[in-house]
Amino acid sequence: DLPEGLVNLAAIHTKRGERDEAWKLLQRAHALLPRNAVVNYNCGLAAAARGDALAAIAYYDAALEADPTYEKARANLGALKCRFGDIEGAKRELSVIKDSGGVTGPDVDPEWKTCNR
């Protein structure tokens, strides 16, 4: 599957520190599957890494629109909202997470746990 391959290749470039190349690949994947939760989630990760919090929020929102059960997207969205002072919005997002133990990994913003208190 081409978009999945682009996402995987983008992850390799990200690990190598090649963020611009990763971003280009993710944008190609997004053009092919603009409503795909995984593609939008990864675009959100890349946008956040590039310092574009507003784009990251939009991509996480799109990921959740495609799959409301995507808890990593919800955690990262909540963390961004918390970081930018929308504590109530963050708490609304984070209150939906059912399995907080499953929301782990290097792609999850650890801030979500702090704001969830």
Side-chain angles (χ1 to χ4, degrees), residues 3-22:
E4 183 179 304
L6 291 171
V7 169
N8 292 337
L9 188 56
I12 292 168
H13 283 285
T14 299
K15 287 178 185 174
R16 292 180 182 167
E18 300 165 350
R19 289 184 177 161
D20 290 337
E21 187 60 33

Side-chain angles (χ1 to χ4, degrees), residues 12-105:
I12 292 168
H13 283 285
T14 299
K15 287 178 185 174
R16 292 180 182 167
E18 300 165 350
R19 289 184 177 161
D20 290 337
E21 187 60 33
W23 180 251
K24 290 175 193 174
L25 293 166
L26 290 169
Q27 292 305 293
R28 285 179 55 202
H30 190 265
L32 294 167
L33 290 175
R35 291 183 177 87
N36 180 279
V38 173
V39 170
N40 277 290
Y41 176 71
N42 281 280
C43 286
L45 292 173
R50 293 166 58 88
D52 191 346
L54 293 177
I57 288 170
Y59 283 118
Y60 292 144
D61 276 334
L64 289 167
E65 187 175 308
D67 179 0
T69 67
Y70 205 146
E71 293 191 332
K72 285 185 173 187
R74 193 163 305 280
N76 283 353
L77 178 59
L80 279 173
K81 286 184 176 188
C82 188
R83 189 171 280 117
F84 288 97
D86 182 6
I87 304 302
E88 291 306 312
K91 286 185 177 186
R92 274 192 307 277
E93 292 297 337
L94 299 173
S95 70
V96 179
I97 294 175
K98 293 180 180 163
D99 179 17
S100 61
V103 184
T104 61

